[in-house]
Amino acid sequence: MGRAPLRIWRRLLPTSGPVSGSRWLMLGSSTSPATLSRTMTRGNATVPAMEMTKWFDTNYHFIVPELGPNTKFSYASHKAVNEYKEAKALGVDTVPVLVGPVSYLLLSKPAKGVEKGFPLLSLLSSILPVYKEVIAELKAAGASWIQFDEPTLVLDLDSDKLAAFSAAYAELESVLSGLNVLVETYFADVPAESYKTLTSLSSVTAYGFDLVRGTQTLGLVTSAGFPAGKYLFAGVVDGRNIWADDLATSLSTLQSLEAVVGKDKLVVSTSCSLMHTAVDLVNETKLDSEIKSWLAFAAQKVVEVDALAKALAGQKDEAYFAANAAAQASRKSSPRVTNEEVQKAAAALKGSDHRRGTNVSARLDAQQKKLNLPILPTTTIGSFPQTVELRRVRREYKAKKISEEEYVTAIKEEINKVVKLQEELDIDVLVHGEPERNDMVEYFGEQLSGFAFTANGWVQSYGSRCVKPPIIYGDVSRPNPMTVFWSKTAQSMTSRPMKGMLTGPVTILNWSFVRNDQPRFETCYQIALAIKKEVEDLEAGGIQVIQIDEAALREGLPLRKAEHAFYLDWAVHSFRITNCEIQDTTQIHTHMCYSNFNDIIHSIIDMDADVITIENSRSDEKLLSVFREGVKYGAGIGPGVYDIHSPRIPSAEEIADRIDKMLAVLDTNILWVNPDCGLKTRKYTEVKPALTNMVSAAKLIRTQLASAK
């Protein structure tokens, strides 16, 4: 096979998650795959939903497979083969993509009731026969290439895990005979030992590497060598961001690789699947023309890959490369990118760790005297259901079909409804429900300088849930207050504490398409200074409790352990900057969700928030294990008592049982009672009974604690 200039089998908007094995290698069941999948992801009246967590360091989520020693794998869904046949019938010969068997197992977890240290890789011999069936059926259908995604190869793996890759692909070698086999890695550098293991797999024809985030892999290929006769899929075009590729630089990289692997064995590629970026820049008719010239969405990235492949083959499109070079130069010199005042303020942050002057214990005492909350105070995370009517109001206001006065009146009515409902439910610390907000990042980005927005730049987050990340193209500042009016309005409607609701700097950073012309931490510090101004204005406006969400702090953690400390240092520092100068009596909350937090618990403590609310229920209360193991936490903490991503309504008894488990490892005076996350995706018919049961459970435990004294 000659040069393959385009990797057309990379779908732009996949319909399901990367752990495709959870669809194609489902446990045998009489239930239809669609029904079983829906129950796994959403739960039902008797069974909670399975754990959902982030796909490596992206904002994509996947359902974590739950396995045990008695798990029986069977070939229950032929979706991969059916999709291949469907494309082939249309005249398109695609390359089927499967999650590799070792990554599938390493990304799973022991099922409930299974011993904590159960070796998931012990199931390799059980799962490989199903892979053989899938491969055989794809081969029979006419597939000539198969791609296995093995992204866990970029992690720090011990020798036993690396040996599993060798064993797996040796076992599959006979069924793979006659096929071209690509093993793809992405999101980081491949460690030297993993590279050695990967490139020694005799059943594999090609190896794919992310050369955008994996900045050291290029040196590894050139220094350690590359197996003769094999293909190298060079991921030089960024599949996770929206900036136009620097074609001249990428071409130079490819030419250096070509000298190592051979002219006909180098394949130009994106760094990863294009599901992590927006689909097509053509759809953005209202985007500023200068900024638009700096961008490339998925469709444009395919063109870039093609142009690089042709240039490498001696068919360089000089006009296309010249236009690209002009756009790169325009971005570097544009005055709209740089704000000297902002850069000076961010540079001045060096030399201080920006901690509040009083320790958290003393602050909590001062706050309790002012707030006078009961033990086990109840609250919610921020948003309330976004109804069809509410979305209509925002849409019509944006389209200028209703006046500002009509819009403000409608939003105030919605806030009042949410406030009254919380009072009726007897929740202790209230929220205004965020009816004015379209998205927790986009809403703030629209009011900050240095941000641009798309009309159709949707990216899948989980299931049918998509987000439209802002684009950070320049230095960030806050021209005007963003939330103060709505928070003060809500507080005026109640005598109970009303939380001011903000998105933190790290989450705004990690859930945006971030400029790549300066280090990410510098952009994060700029956002932190903008949020700091908002926090101080909220406090001046009489808001006594302010929540600064950092839902995505864990998500940005680098995949290699050696890089953790540097990231956590600037990420945690950015959070502290936002609230370092407020009074002791102002209570700072933060919120985190849908990631694994136990390995960064000490950094979470170092954030120095007064209260943290954190996802807990959907992950089988994994968070609590860190406190059972002796970690001392002195600030307020609210591990979520029920999963809001499922329509399932937990009973008061079930929630009370969760609270009891929390009290076994956490002090009564620091525990808060709250859902896992915001309620915007739920219906009021689900929210009202769930919150009713949550408050009832808190009151029940309070009564039991009082009786025990």
Side-chain angles (χ1 to χ4, degrees), residues 391-408 411 436 486:
R391 289 192 173 103
R392 181 192 64 78
V393 168
R394 286 205 309 265
R395 186 170 60 250
E396 290 187 352
Y397 177 61
K398 191 172 184 178
K400 299 182 179 179
K401 292 182 179 180
I402 61 174
S403 67
E404 182 174 3
E405 182 180 358
E406 290 172 308
Y407 171 75
V408 170
I411 297 298
E436 79 284 9
W486 296 118

Side-chain angles (χ1 to χ4, degrees), residues 372-433:
N372 193 29
L373 298 173
I375 60 168
L376 307 181
T378 55
T379 190
T380 65
I381 303 304
S383 61
F384 265 64
Q386 296 262 322
T387 63
V388 172
E389 174 62 19
L390 181 55
R391 289 192 173 103
R392 181 192 64 78
V393 168
R394 286 205 309 265
R395 186 170 60 250
E396 290 187 352
Y397 177 61
K398 191 172 184 178
K400 299 182 179 179
K401 292 182 179 180
I402 61 174
S403 67
E404 182 174 3
E405 182 180 358
E406 290 172 308
Y407 171 75
V408 170
T409 298
I411 297 298
K412 282 184 176 180
E413 289 175 356
E414 182 69 18
I415 292 173
N416 188 59
K417 181 178 78 172
V418 169
V419 170
K420 297 307 178 191
L421 172 60
Q422 292 172 92
E423 288 183 328
E424 290 168 11
L425 294 171
D426 204 18
I427 292 174
D428 300 304
V429 176
L430 310 189
V431 298
H432 76 290

Side-chain angles (χ1 to χ4, degrees), residues 25-27 64-74 100-112 114-132 160-161 164-165 167-168 171-172:
L25 301 168
M26 297 166 68
L27 300 182
V64 182
E66 298 177 11
L67 309 175
N70 298 319
T71 298
K72 304 296 182 185
F73 296 101
S74 65
V102 182
S103 289
Y104 179 84
L105 293 175
L106 291 177
L107 293 169
S108 302
K109 71 174 185 178
K112 201 166 187 178
V114 174
E115 185 179 351
K116 183 180 177 182
F118 171 69
L120 292 162
L121 288 176
S122 67
L123 297 173
L124 190 59
S125 60
S126 299
I127 203 172
L128 288 178
V130 183
Y131 272 88
K132 290 180 180 180
D160 289 342
K161 292 184 175 68
F165 286 95
E171 178 65 24
L172 293 174

Side-chain angles (χ1 to χ4, degrees), residues 90 104 113 139 181 186 202 323 342 379 434 470 535 631:
L90 296 171
Y104 179 84
K139 188 191 291 189
V181 179
Y186 40 76
S202 59
V342 171
T379 190
E434 305 176 12
V535 169
V631 171

Side-chain angles (χ1 to χ4, degrees), residues 72-116:
K72 304 296 182 185
F73 296 101
S74 65
Y75 189 9
S77 171
H78 296 250
K79 185 175 177 64
V81 178
N82 292 339
E83 288 182 346
Y84 172 78
K85 289 180 177 178
E86 181 182 358
K88 189 173 183 180
L90 296 171
V92 182
D93 189 17
T94 62
V95 173
V97 181
L98 305 174
V99 168
V102 182
S103 289
Y104 179 84
L105 293 175
L106 291 177
L107 293 169
S108 302
K109 71 174 185 178
K112 201 166 187 178
V114 174
E115 185 179 351
K116 183 180 177 182

Side-chain angles (χ1 to χ4, degrees), residues 346-365:
L349 294 171
K350 297 174 182 177
S352 171
D353 62 3
H354 296 89
R355 294 182 184 275
R356 294 169 74 178
T358 309
N359 67 46
V360 68
S361 178
R363 297 199 309 264
L364 289 173
D365 287 343

Side-chain angles (χ1 to χ4, degrees), residues 45 91 124 133 165 170 192 249 277 359 375 377 421 512 526 534 541 568 585 589 593 599 624-625 630 635 638:
L124 190 59
E133 289 185 71
F165 286 95
T249 299
T277 191
N359 67 46
I375 60 168
L421 172 60
S512 298
Q526 293 176 1
E534 189 72 11
L568 290 169
T585 51
H589 289 222
C593 58
D599 57 346
L624 299 185
S625 65

